Amino acid sequence: AVSGEKFEDYVEKNIIEPLELNDTRTEMPKDLYGKQLAVSYSSKTRTGERIKQPFFQANEITLAAGFSSTAEDLLKFGMWQTNLLENGGSNIFILTRPVI
């Protein structure tokens, strides 16, 4: 609200793009479920099975649970936060080499 921008637009412009989080989105695209998005399963039933759960779209709680990302992008984000803490909150660290 303070920026005057939609939350998704602000996050994209000020976090995702500067940190080069190339596989991070402010949504969970249904077409990626089972491909780039993990499939969820229930806890074990009485017969020991786990039942595949339907895709969950976090429309109403996007701010809390609507992002999708990769482990590499989460590492970049974590490294940025660590670097901010170590540098008094004034520096954005961009990972420029691949993480293996």
Side-chain angles (χ1 to χ4, degrees), residues 69-90:
S69 192
T70 61
E72 182 177 341
D73 277 5
L74 290 174
L75 177 60
K76 288 180 188 179
F77 185 74
M79 290 172 70
W80 169 64
Q81 289 184 347
T82 300
N83 194 54
L84 281 176
L85 180 63
E86 291 172 353
N87 291 291
S90 62

Side-chain angles (χ1 to χ4, degrees), residues 39-95:
V39 174
S40 60
Y41 290 86
S42 68
S43 56
K44 288 185 178 180
T45 65
R46 291 178 186 241
T47 61
E49 297 176 87
R50 293 187 186 271
I51 301 168
K52 182 178 176 180
Q53 299 297 295
F55 176 74
F56 173 75
Q57 186 55 271
N59 290 332
E60 303 305 318
I61 57 170
T62 297
L63 304 177
F67 282 76
S68 59
S69 192
T70 61
E72 182 177 341
D73 277 5
L74 290 174
L75 177 60
K76 288 180 188 179
F77 185 74
M79 290 172 70
W80 169 64
Q81 289 184 347
T82 300
N83 194 54
L84 281 176
L85 180 63
E86 291 172 353
N87 291 291
S90 62
N91 187 19
I92 293 181
F93 174 76
I94 299 175
L95 185 64

Side-chain angles (χ1 to χ4, degrees), residues 5-19:
E5 298 179 61
K6 287 176 42 182
F7 174 78
E8 295 84 356
D9 295 339
Y10 182 87
V11 169
E12 183 75 34
K13 183 174 72 176
N14 293 286
I15 298 174
I16 293 174
E17 289 176 8
L19 295 177

Side-chain angles (χ1 to χ4, degrees), residues 16-31:
I16 293 174
E17 289 176 8
L19 295 177
E20 297 177 6
L21 305 178
N22 300 321
D23 288 312
T24 298
R25 294 165 285 292
T26 59
E27 62 176 334
M28 294 177 49
K30 187 173 184 174
D31 61 322

